Every structure is written in C-alpha cells, then in structure tokens.
C-alpha cells in the first residue's frame, strides 16, 4: 500500500509543454506514472512525446481521459489559477510544484479546493512518490526504494537527503510526501500522519520539519494522541538567524513559537525520536523497529 | 519587502484612510522647507527598515523649522541597527487623545488574513500582547467575503465606546484590508491609530511589508524598493535570484534548497564550526547563479572555507559544476572549498569538476567535517 | 404545531430604535412574541420600552440573551450587512423585512447564511406568524387565527387578503409565511411546503404566487411528487403587462417562462386547486378537506 | 434603470474593455463634427431604451460626414416603440470578421450572476437561444470567488479556437463581471463582441441595466438617468416613490403592495373590466403619496372610474384616507371613485372618509364589481 498515489493514479500535467513541465512529465512517464493528459491553453489537440494528449483546459482533459490527479508546473503568477481550475474540474488530488506563489492567492485557493473535497499538496513542494507505483512531482525516482517507511517533509532537497540515507541502508519507503515550505499549504503533517497511520504497509514514519510556524508542534500533539507507529523526526534551522522583522503583528500572533528548540522539545515530549543530523535517521529507526 | 513609513502612509492615503499630512525629505534643507509648509510643531522621523527608531534617537520633535533642519542634520546619516538613515519623514506633531493598534497579517494556523486590534496601542504593543493578551482582539477574515462591515464595527467597538469613532475605525479597517490585498501585503499595521482631541480617528504611523512573490505582477509596488536601505550583499543575492542571509561564522555555505541549507548549517555547528551565511541557490539553478553565489560568499572576509552541498533533483549537478568552474576562471576563491554533489547528472558533474582539478564528495557529513576542519585549521 | 417560529422563538430586533423597527417591535411584544433583545449600534446599554435590552452588536445580544431568531428593519443600504451579522452571530432564523435590497448584495449574503446552516426569510417580505404563539415581522396579528391551514406567499398585502378570507370563514392558520417578492430570497416555496408537510398540525396548504421566475413551477413539481396534503393555489398577475425589456439575456435564460398562464397550468398539472380570485380560497379548501 | 448604449460603452471603457471610438451627439451638426473627427465610414445609432432599433430605421451607415449629418437629421426626433430619439451615437463602421455574444444577468434559479456566451452573436441571439440552445454556454459565477481566470478562458475557447482571441475574450468577460458588480447592474451585455480582420476582439455594442435599488448608493450611476427617454407619467410616479405602469383599460387602480395590486387588476378583468394601470403605493405610504397617485391616475383620459384597494398593515389606513381627502381639495377627480379600505387603523380611516363625504367598502370583490360597473356604465 501507499498513501495518496499508487497504480490507480491517472495524472494530468498542467503546463506539460513548458520547460519544467515537459522535463518532469518525461521523468514521471519513465518512472511508470500513468500520465494520461497534459494541459496547455492553445495547444489542445497536440500530443506530448507522441503519446499524451494535450488539452486546452483541465475540464476537457478530465472528460476525455478520466484523470483523477493533477500536477502543476505553470509559472507562479498563474499557479493559483491552475489550482482553481484543477479543483473546479473534479480533480481529487492536486500537487502544485510551482514555487513563488503569492500567499494571498493561497488564502483564496485553499477554501476553493476544500469546498470541492479535493486535496492539494504544496505549493512549492517536490511532490510525492510511492516507490515502484507512481511518482508525481520532482523527487528523483532513482534515490527511492519500495518499502515500509513513510516519509513526510516540509523541505525538498533535505527530503532527498533523508530518503537517500534510508534507501542506501536498506530501508525502502511506502510513500514520501513533500508538503512544501510555504506558510500556507494544502496538506500538512497531520494529514500525512493520519494517512500513514491508516496505511497497513507503513511500519514507521519519518517526519522532517523546520523552523517557523507551529505545524510541527501540532503534529507532535497528534502523534502523542493518535499515532501508534514509531515516528522519527528532524528539525532543520537550529542555527538559522531570527529574521529581521518589521512591525509587531508577527510577534503578537505567534508569540515566541516557531524556534527549532521549541519544536524539538515538542517532538521529544510526544515520544518522537529526534535526529541530531540527517545521518541519524537509520540508527534511530533501528532502535524503534 | 519592507516599505518605509512614508510609502506606507501614501498607500493608506490612496485607499482613503485618514493620514496626517507630511512628506519625505532627504536633506536638512528639504526638511526645513517641509516644516515651514506644515507650520507649528513637527516630528522628524528616520525612515529605516528597523524597529526601535525612537529609542535609537531617530525620532525627534521640533518646535520651529530651524529646529527641524537641525534635527534632520542629526538624524540623516545616523546608523540604526546597522542601517544608515537616508530619508526622513516630516509630519505635524499631532495632539493625541488616545493610541490604539490595528494590524493585519497572514496567519498560518487559520490560513487567513487576521485583523488584530488593541485599545492599548503604541510602542509597547508587543508587551501588551505578552502580558495582557485579553486586550488584543483578533478576527480571521474569510477571504471569500472580505472584512465585513459588521465585523469591522465589532472590532471598532473594542477600540472606542463612541459609535462615531467605532465606525471611523471600522471604515479604516475595511480600507486597510482592501489595501492589504491590493498591494499584496504580508503585513499592514497602523500603530498608533490615534484619536485627536476633536474626536477624529487617524493613522499616525504605518508599516507595510510586501510579499516578495507579489512584486512581479505589481511593478508599481516593486518600484518602491529602496535598495539603499538594505545590506548590499543581500541586494546582490536577490538580483542574482538567490536567497542569502549573512551570519557571523567562517564557513561559507552554498546549498540548493532552504531545508537542506539549514540542515547543512546545523551540521556545521554540530561538527564545531560556525556558518558564515545562509545561501539557497534555489530550485532550477543555472551556472550563472552559482557564479554569483561564490562571488557573494568570497566577498565576506570572515569566510575561511567554502562548503558546497548540492543534492541535485530539479537542479542539475552538471549546471552546478559548470558554475563552480566558471567562477574560478572569473575570480580567485582565496579560501579552500569542499564540494558535496550528488543526484541528477552526478556523473557528468564529477567529470567536469575533475577536469578542472576539483574533487567531489558524496556524503554530507564527510563534506561538512572537512569544511569545518579547513575553516578552523584543525584536522577533520 | 407550526413552522419556523413558536413559543421557543427568542427574538432580537435589528434596528429596534428606528421608525419601523420600534413600531413593529411594540406590535410583536403586544402579540406575545418573546422579544429578548434589540440592536442599534451606539445605543448599547439602553432599554427599549423599559423592557428590552439594546446592544451594539448582534453577537453581544446573542451572548447575553440567547436570542435564536432575528428580524431586520434597518435601511436597505445596510440590510445585507445586518443579514451577515445575524448569520455570523449564530442566529438560526433571520427574517429580513427591509425592501429595496440590491440584488447583488443578496448574491453574497445568501451563501454566507447557507454556510452557517441558518435560514433566511425574505428580504422584502412581511415576515411570518404562527397565530397564538409568535409573530415575527409585520403581518397584522388581528387578521390571523390559530388553526390548521398553512399559508405561504410571495406577496405582502395579498397574503393579508387571503388570511382575512380564511379567518373570517373560520379557517385558522398553523403558520403564515411571507417569503418575499424579490428575485433572490432565502426561503422559497419548496422549503415552506416541506416544513408544512412535516408539521402534523397542518392539514392543508395555501400557496400564493405571482408572475416572474419559475419558483411556482418548481414548487408545483414538488407538490406533485412529495406533498400528500391538499394544496390550494393562486397566481397574481394575469393582466400584468410584460415588462419592457432591454437586452437579450433575460429571454435567453428564462425563455418564455414566468407567465401567469404557465404557472397556473403547472399548478393544475400538480393537482393544486387553483383560485380564480382570492375569495375562492375557502370554497376550494372546503372541497379538498 | 436602463443605460444608453453610449453610457454603457463608457462604463466598459473605464473598466478596460476594448471599445471602438465614437461619441454621442444631440444635433446633426454635432454628428457631422464627430464623423469628421473619426474619418471614414461611420454608423449613426439612435440612443433609445428599446430593442429593434435597426429594423425601425434607427441605425444608418454614412460614407461621409455630410451623409452622417443627413442621417442624424433623419434619426433625431424619430419615434421608436413610442420613444422619441433625442441622442445618437456616432461610431466608426467597423470591419467585422465574426460576431459573438457575451451577457451577464442575475439568475433567480442559481441565485448567482450567470455569464452567457455564444459564438453566434448579433441581432438574432434570442432565436439562437430558442432554436439551437447548445450554442449558448452558461456559467453561474460563485460570487465568493468572482469569475475565475480559468472559467473565463474556458468560455473564451467556446467563442474562439485561437488562444490569443480566447484570452482576449476571457479578459473582457472578467472585466465585464467586475463592471457588473461595480455599477450594480442587473444586466450587462456585449452584442456583438466582434473580431476585426486584424484579429483583435472588441465590444461593438453594449447594453447595461442598473438595479434601481443600487442607485441610492451610486450617485454617479444614478446621474446617468435620462428621463427624457422615459414616459412622463412613469417619471412622475418614480419621483413620488410609487411604482406605476400604464395600461390601456378604464379602471384606474390604486393599491398597496404589488401582489395585491396585480390580484386587483386580475379581479377587474374577472368582473369584465379593464385596468388602466398598475399602481403600488408601497409599504409605508404617507398621505402625499396617495395625492400623487390620484394625480397620476386622473391625468389619464381613459380612466372612467378609480378603484382604491388598500389592506392596511405597515401602511396605515388613516394615512390613505387623509391622502384621498387632501387630493380632493387640490384637484377634481372628474370620475367616480370606489374605496375599499381595511386593516390597521381602519375605524379612524372610515371616520375620516365619512366626514369628507366618502364611503368605504370592506370586501374586495364588492369594490371591484362596483368600480367596473361605474367605469362601464353597467349595473354592478
């Protein structure tokens, strides 16, 4: 098993003829992901790589190909619009790789996705992979290995580092999900923890957080209350400087929360084994499994 | 991107929020002329992107135009938290009956813009929030409807018992919310929102920060950037498409991805070193970005060793390798460099580096240990 | 029994110190309606008629008095805002008497009310009455009589005419609901028909429609499919001229529908006894009961 | 309130929608001057609130400025569907490659603004809707989000296969939707939306109707009202706060409430008469409104009897009685009057009427029968 994506994933690539979209569409096709459609307004009727039909709109793509999942590689200025379009067209799972989305766009896109019962992963995320089954996004398939560890992370390349550690030491993954580092994201740690908890194949969970916000603290509470499987965690940013801040609103709303120390303490209190460095992931998992 | 007070006041004014008169000056003579035009007592305020201007001596009252000129002379060129004052705001010294606080910020938890108000405004607002949180009232605004009239009025009554003042404050809040979305703000703050002895409600001081991701589609707002008020190396990094924050250590770090960059810095510290910077070359780097990154790192005299840590994915390892080689043809690195480079096109990259006389490691811990050793002069 | 309001109705009057609000608040109090609060911004702390506490906001009124129903008498320009406020404050039933609300205000207020699970009656309606129990709005209590006929109507004074016919001939009412004549309203015929169908005390339903729109046609379908109780209907506007119309959009969207003849035909097809004139209501009811 | 074409074009232009040049004229000389300024062929279009202008001869092409002047002379003063042409639009005669339709209206069923588009635009759009409804594409816009870019583009592709034209049409739709809410419209229509031979997309003709309830808060839009283009008695009724529509019958009706007014007219017909008008004195009538109502009714020479039908509720019966009495002191009614008056303050009202020599009935059917009898001269 796996979470969110597997062999039944039928993918439409929004921005399939763009630089990033075409490169990664080929990578995903090579990995075995069922890429059933692409969308680029004005290129409807063409075929991508002589194989994948391209449509002007996601609605047409869904109608013609029964796509159930979408991945977004369009420029930041129109990425929110692509999210709206995917949700409006009945796509159930939307993965937005694009980085640099205005946060205020997300304040409007998130309730829209939510109202339609869809799930958004990202934006500004590497996507996800269920090794051996399906890969949606940009996580290099070559570093992953099918297995039983669930990985969820706010970062991109740091996730690769952790997956690399796991795979090279024989720990395959059920699914690896990069939820994205932006302030407003569609799928958070708790959503992924719940899915991994429900996935019978996943035996342990690796959770990679970073400074800023309180998602990790809430996730820790959730782990304490609900998760029976072993969880190993990491927090990046212990040495990061506190950002120069204008105004008082940030301090008022978040108080002193968001530091690495606070998050590590919350992890420890919740019984999460905390890595000091990425290379600790395998030794800690060994202890817990 | 942070705006200056005078820029924020302009935006508020354009959105119909009552703001006292006043304008910006860059020389003592201009300050004097503005003070004469305003007449009466004025306040001279340093325009820098830092809090605590008052305590640092960057805000001074002047009874006469001559005094305003003298104050301007004192404040212009002053350093506040490392930033040189290049602009000052000259505004009338308002008579104030009460000081409140109104702020809007995007809140991660509710995933909405949150309006915060407090009848106890002014410079101690953070202390108010910490010690008497019940004096801070918050409302997460549903972006589908905006800040509704009754919601704004409810907040207005938290500030003022008088219905006219409550309505005036509500109107200001709705306009501030409108401005927030219109300019693509991440923060908009009126502190203090004052009442004058005649009962009117005005925005005395304003702060607005813009979400950098909004700038591309808002050239008018992007044009407000004042690079003279920012650290030069950060300006250079941004121009090159890099995210860079200077620190005090001696290991210059060049990493792809913010999370890996932070983890790398943490590992530098773990092995006894100190990172000289945070530097993220971003997702789809090209060789030129790497050249710019090395130029910025090597311009820091504290840097004793350079650490590359790249896990190629969307970033291609060969692009990074080419950038490193190109940089060394353009300028001298002066300090030792340790390169860790794996992932997409790794083999091509290693080949490129080898031909140029560099070697690349594959393990992150090994690379960090070596870099720390080189920076500190101790054996790894 | 009755629908929507009864002895448990705890009413807050929005605009209680205004000309219409104060007049009708007194009328409702005299009728026996539990008027527990009034709202006029700036007059919080006062008492209306030495009895009803006045608040600055509906939220405060609900907090202090547990009001569950609101009636709106504020001017048209701020009436939509009053609807938003009532819904936002947890009011379950909102009756908007005010006429002249901009239709575009309603396009925004209706989903807001709906999202909060509240019911809006109106705007531009006479309100409703459950004779002998509670009256909310402006229907003259003196013309009503407790009984078993449910009345639902798009008009104001035409409703009074029908109620008058019923009461003077000995047919009391379970509830009378004026749903309002505006293009966009919160509660339509079908909502009321369903409620009357569920009300064991109601034995027959009188439904008063008029030209314009297709609400009556849809209601007729609903009666045919779902309503077992006898229904007597009236359509006003057989002699009304077709309005001079600019543009084509109206014709495109509604085709030829909305005429009295079409609505009467729909009623007849659904087994609704159709009055030729208001005075027919009692004879037709007699036939059906 | 209906706007003239030239006013609707101005609104579209202000909202950034491409509209061909052109301006309004009220004299043949002005028309000539405008035609000269535009150069080339122009079209002279009557500005009246009625459809079918072209078929009525209210739209003429002119090859020269002199011809434009002649056309203007012919069209100004012309009657179209009872309305006198007082203004004409002079616009360039555009070369047209295709004609589409874009309209927005508030839809009762979805309770939303609905955008409708059709690639088959022009004067026969209603026939297109009736005979080939599949050529009309509709989208009910969620007011919480507005017309989203992808939705507008989806509709744009229904009009044009070319992506640039689809995007241009989408942009126009989003701006039209913005204008719709900004001006408080109940209808906004571009028909035809044309493509020119060079491929650009333009709004050739526009119609906008404003929700009358929006006018109070939009004085700039209210100022666009052209009373010279409306029936004088309807203008007088609106000024008096009444809703009035003239009909061809002989029983003048004065009723409170639209539903009861229609039911009263229906009952007049039921008893063999014909209503002379629809007239609703509204919810909270004062005596002066009743006076105005009687003045308007009695100014219609067709009226042979006046029928009052008032069921007092929020309207007070004594107010109505006072109004009737006051009217008779101001002018002669000339025709018999039947009054039916019950409800709030009925007793006081009956007393007022009695003292002035009037009697009041309590039954609606009785009153209508009597009024019809008096109008037709037959016994009730």
């Amino acid at each position: 098993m796996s979470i969110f994506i597997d062999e039944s994933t039928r993918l439409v690539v929004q921005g399939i003829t763009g630089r990033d979209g075409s490169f990664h569409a080929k990578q995903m096709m090579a990995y075995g992901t069922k890429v059933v459609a692409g969308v680029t307004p004005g290129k409807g009727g063409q075929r991508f790589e002589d194989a994948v039909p391209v449509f002007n709109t996601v609605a047409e793509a869904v109608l013609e190909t029964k796509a159930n999942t979408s991945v977004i590689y369009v420029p930041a200025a129109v990425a929110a619009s692509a999210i709206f379009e995917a949700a409006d067209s009945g796509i159930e799972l939307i993965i937005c790789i694009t980085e640099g989305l205005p946060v205020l766009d997300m304040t409007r896109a998130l309730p829209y996705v939510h109202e339609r019962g869809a799930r958004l992963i990202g934006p500004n995320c590497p996507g996800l992979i269920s090794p051996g089954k399906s890969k949606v996004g940009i996580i290099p398939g070559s570093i992953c290995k099918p297995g039983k560890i669930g990985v969820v992370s706010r970062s991109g390349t740091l996730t690769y580092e952790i997956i690399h550690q796991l795979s090279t030491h024989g720990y395959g993954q059920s699914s690896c999900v990069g939820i994205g580092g932006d302030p407003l994201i569609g799928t958070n740690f708790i959503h992924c923890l719940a899915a991994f908890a429900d996935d019978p194949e996943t035996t342990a969970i690796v959770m990679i957080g970073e400074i800023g916000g309180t998602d990790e603290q809430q996730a820790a509470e959730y782990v304490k209350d609900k998760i029976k499987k072993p969880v190993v965690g990491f927090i990046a940013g212990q040495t990061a400087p506190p950002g120069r801040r204008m105004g008082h609103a940030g301090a008022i709303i978040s108080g002193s929360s968001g530091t690495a120390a606070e998050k590590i303490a919350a992890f420890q209190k919740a019984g999460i084994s905390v890595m000091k460095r990425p290379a600790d992931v395998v030794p800690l998992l060994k202890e817990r499994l | 991107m942070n705006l200056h007070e005078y820029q924020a006041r302009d935006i508020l004014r354009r959105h119909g929020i009552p703001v006292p008169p006043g304008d910006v000056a860059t020389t003592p003579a201009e300050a004097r002329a503005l003070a004469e035009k305003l007449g009466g007592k004025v306040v001279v305020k340093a325009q820098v992107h830092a809090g605590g201007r008052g305590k640092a001596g960057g805000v001074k009252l002047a009874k006469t135009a001559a005094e305003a000129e003298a104050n301007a002379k004192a404040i212009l060129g002053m350093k506040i938290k490392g930033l040189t004052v290049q602009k000052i705001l000259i505004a009338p010294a308002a008579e104030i009956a009460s000081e409140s606080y109104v702020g809007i910020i995007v809140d991660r938890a509710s995933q909405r813009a949150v309006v915060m108000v407090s009848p106890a405004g002014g410079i101690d607002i953070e202390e108010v929030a910490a010690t008497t949180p019940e004096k801070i009232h918050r409302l997460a605004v549903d972006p589908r409807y905006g800040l509704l009239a009754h919601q704004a009025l409810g907040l207005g009554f938290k500030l003022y018992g008088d219905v006219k003042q409550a309505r005036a404050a509500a109107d200001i809040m709705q306009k501030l919310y409108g401005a927030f979305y219109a300019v693509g703000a991440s923060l908009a703050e009126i502190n203090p929102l004052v009442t004058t002895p005649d009962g009117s409600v005005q925005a005395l001081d304003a702060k607005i920060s813009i979400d950098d991701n909004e700038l591309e589609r808002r050239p008018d707002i992007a044009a407000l950037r004042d690079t003279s008020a920012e650290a030069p190396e950060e300006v250079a990094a941004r121009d090159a498409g890099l995210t860079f924050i200077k620190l005090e250590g001696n290991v210059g770090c060049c990493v792809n991805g913010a999370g890996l960059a932070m983890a790398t810095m943490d590992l530098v510290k773990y092995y006894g070193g100190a990172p000289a910077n945070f530097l993220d070359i971003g997702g789809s780097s090209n060789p030129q970005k790497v050249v710019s990154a090395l130029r910025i790192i090597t311009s820091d005299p504290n840097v004793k060793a350079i650490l590359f840590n790249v896990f190629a994915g969307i970033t291609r390892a060969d692009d990074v390798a080419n950038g490193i080689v190109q940089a060394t043809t353009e300028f001298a690195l002066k300090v030792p460099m340790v390169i860790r480079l794996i992932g997409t096109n790794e083999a091509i990259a290693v080949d490129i580096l080898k031909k140029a006389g560099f070697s690349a490691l594959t393990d992150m811990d090994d690379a960090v240990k070596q870099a720390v050793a080189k920076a500190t002069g101790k054996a790894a």
Side-chain angles (χ1 to χ4, degrees), chain A residues 26-39:
Chain A
K26 285 180 227 162
Q27 298 273 317
M28 291 186 284
M29 289 160 74
Y31 193 78
T33 305
K34 292 194 184 74
V35 178
V36 297
V39 170

Side-chain angles (χ1 to χ4, degrees), chain B residues 322-345:
Chain B
N322 278 323
I324 292 171
V325 174
Q326 194 184 320
T328 56
T329 65
E330 292 184 19
F331 50 88
L333 296 183
K334 293 182 257 175
V335 295
M337 178 161 65
V338 179
I339 302 169
R340 187 266 183 145
L341 193 56
I342 63 171
T344 310
N345 293 1

